[in-house]
Amino acid sequence: MADSSQKTLRIREFPIDENPGHTYLNHEKGILSWLFTVDHKRIGLLYLGSVILFFFVGGMLALLLRTELLTPAQSIVDADTYNQIFTLHGAIMIFLFIIPSIPAALGNFFLPMMIGAKDVAFPRLNLASWWIYIFGALFALYSIITGAVDTGWTFYTPYSTQTGTSVVSMTLAVFILGFSSILTGLNFIVTLHKLRSPGLSWSKMPLFLWSLYATAVIQILATPILAITVLLLAMERILGIGIFDPSLGGDPVLFQHFFWFYSHPAVYIMIVPAFGIISELISTYSRKTIFGYWAIALSSLAIAFIGFLVWGHHMFVSGQSELSSVVFSFLTFFVGVPTGIKIFNWVATMYKGSIDLKTPMLYALAFLFLFTIGGLTGIMIGALSINVHLHDTYYIVAHFHYVMMGGTVIAMLGGLHHWWPKMTGKMYNEFWGRITCGVIFLSFNMTFLPQFIMGSQGMPRRYFNYVDQFQGLHQFSTIGSYLLGVGFVMMAVYLLWSLFKGPKAPSNPWKARSLEWMTSSPPTHHNFEYTPVILHGPYDHHKPMKEFRMGVAEESESPDVIEIDKDPA
Amino acid sequence: MANQSVATEKKSHLQHHFVDEDQQFESSKMGMWIFLVTEVLMFGGLFVAYIIYRAWHPDLFYEAAQELDVALGATNTVVLIASSLTIALAIRAVQLDKIKAAINYMAATILLAGTFMVIKYFEYMDKFGKGIYPGESYTYDGLEHEMAANFFSIYYMMTGLHGIHVVIGMVLIGWMIIKAKKGLVHSGYYTPVENTGLFWHLVDIIWIFLFPLLYLID
Ligand code: HEM
Ligand SMILES: [Cu+2]
């Protein structure tokens, strides 16, 4: 059965069709061919459309919150509604937007292409994960209609067992969404292990894939804990099982342990894929081989590992023992080490590179700036003494928006622009791309920088009224958020314009070196017409473009063949 | 001739994005193992809750466990171990193309799983009859300990989640029987049966932990 593990391979120029007539977009037609597709590229776009939709919904809710905060007293909504809006904003942004965002949308599209595969290992499971995600979203919608939850996205007990809102359907939504997230992670791990093309060793894997690998590992190891936590919470409400409810002999701090054991690693599900995109962007637009390939690749795994040991830094003032607080605080500092390693390697990659300030690179630079602020303030609030003062203030709000929005969202926008020509076959307008990036960068800082100041002066988070002293900063922040909204509208306009009227994209507009650029834009249904054999690294910018040749996996007797291990080990 | 038909059948099972049978088989198996890891971790959360409450209230666990019926629990343990054996024999039979035997072994597995569920049903009914409900609805006054309800909450959560897995396993094995009857699994392609077997072993192993932890507390 098992044929010999050696195959002879012919190297030959890989002819790239610059004007593909037949692409994954016109391979099949009709809405059903999209909704029931098993093509990873189409599923990636289904996810992309869905997360953009939820980002829009979550964003509108955020603007409502900011509008309410224009005045110290009630402005447009009452206090209970305010609680519901910030809970929905948080829950939608976390569970429906940011967790699936980069992996399930861009990752789905590019992971198989970057390893020369035709698809992920389990295409039907991939489709199922999207449907499960939609199903979870419907549950969340049901909960919103029947009584929008007002507990905060963290569902802390005992309040979550007492509130009159629909906690059970919301927690079941989270359970279902977690299942979808697990399936994506499982699919990616198996695909990376088993489906790499001949010659694509682990050391030739683009760093985006290393980051998706680390992310998938966290998804597999952490999400089941979330599942059991929300299941127990639902049972607490339905049956009063008394595990988390103090009035029944339960322990609410135990809930927090369970919750953060998932949710701290989950912040790395959110940010690690962003790291991967940044590695691709910085190398491509600096025209330089990435500096410290292994350091970047392995630091993702290190972050994944350390991320499991620090959950207690969310509970310094929740009544955990002093000793655990000290240990958790100490371990939290360690997360900064692999993160710092990445930042230094990116900067070193840019050093003496020929930097091309295209829109994606502008986003990469914005990421470096904003994420560094987010990360360093994270170290600060990881220090026990400082945290006691800053916990549950706007300082925390500013911190996690700098990492999640300034980090993940900005990186995702960079990736979206970088891969837009590949996904759609169209070029976007570079001028408007740069302008919009500038608008988003400035208005983001306008919105969230004042929140550090307010937080350090004692403005508590999740409050709907505030003392007059903060009004100026709050209004500044609100105006910033409106401008941020304008930035996203501008982006929507020029991207839609490009979709319908934009010029045709060449196969490799950025002279990138990784595999997804070695096929047509947009790609054909099977990504590559041959099984490619990989002879170059993904960052070989020192080799001239014309040297990029790919092998074709076909058996041959002729003398000009090389032998490559068939087994992609 | 017979050989030929098997060979074409084999081909039809190879999905287009795999290079060969081996790659497809190894991928499916790895996927299944990863899925099992997530299952273990999910139950792991319950085990952690168990450990914490037992550490806080050792006396509670000792007293409350006396209410559980060791004989029924032990019977169920034997039943599940036997079912693990029959499913393993079923896989072996498929690998040897003894499809009829495989179907019988799988039917036996479902029967054993059903026995487990029936015994569990009587156990639950006996408890409910005494007023031993999970959580707030608990009304039994045969136990002194004020946290008695919490023990049974944990008991019902663990055995309930496990019971759901038994039912899922029964459905999966039933599906495999249909596949086998249609001739869709054979020595050249037995991945789904093998993966179902892996799942069933997990269900068995979890019970093997649950039984001593809940029933045999000294
Ligand atoms: C250098 C890395 C980081 C460190 C040291 C760090 C540290 C912390 C600490 C100590 C807190 C708790 C503050 C409190 O509630 O008193 C916190 C909160 C938070 N962090 Fe980070 N963080 C880091 C990176 C990230 C990243 C990458 C994300 C997300 C992508 C993130 C998202 C959050 C969120 C959402 C919260 C608030 C949770 C809540 O609702 O209470 N953090 N961080
Ligand atoms: Cu954390």
Side-chain angles (χ1 to χ4, degrees), chain A residues 120-121 194 239-243 251, chain B residues 17 23 53 56 135-136 150 153:
Chain A
V120 290
K194 301 291 181 193
L239 299 172
I241 54 175
I243 291 181
D251 180 17
Chain B
H17 59 290
Q23 193 189 32
Y53 275 89
W56 282 342
E136 278 175 318
N150 295 59
S153 291

Side-chain angles (χ1 to χ4, degrees), chain A residues 86-97 153 155 170 174:
Chain A
F86 79 65
T87 303
L88 289 180
H89 162 73
I92 289 176
M93 285 299 196
I94 299 271
F95 296 114
L96 287 166
F97 168 68
W153 75 281
F155 308 119
M170 197 60 171
V174 171

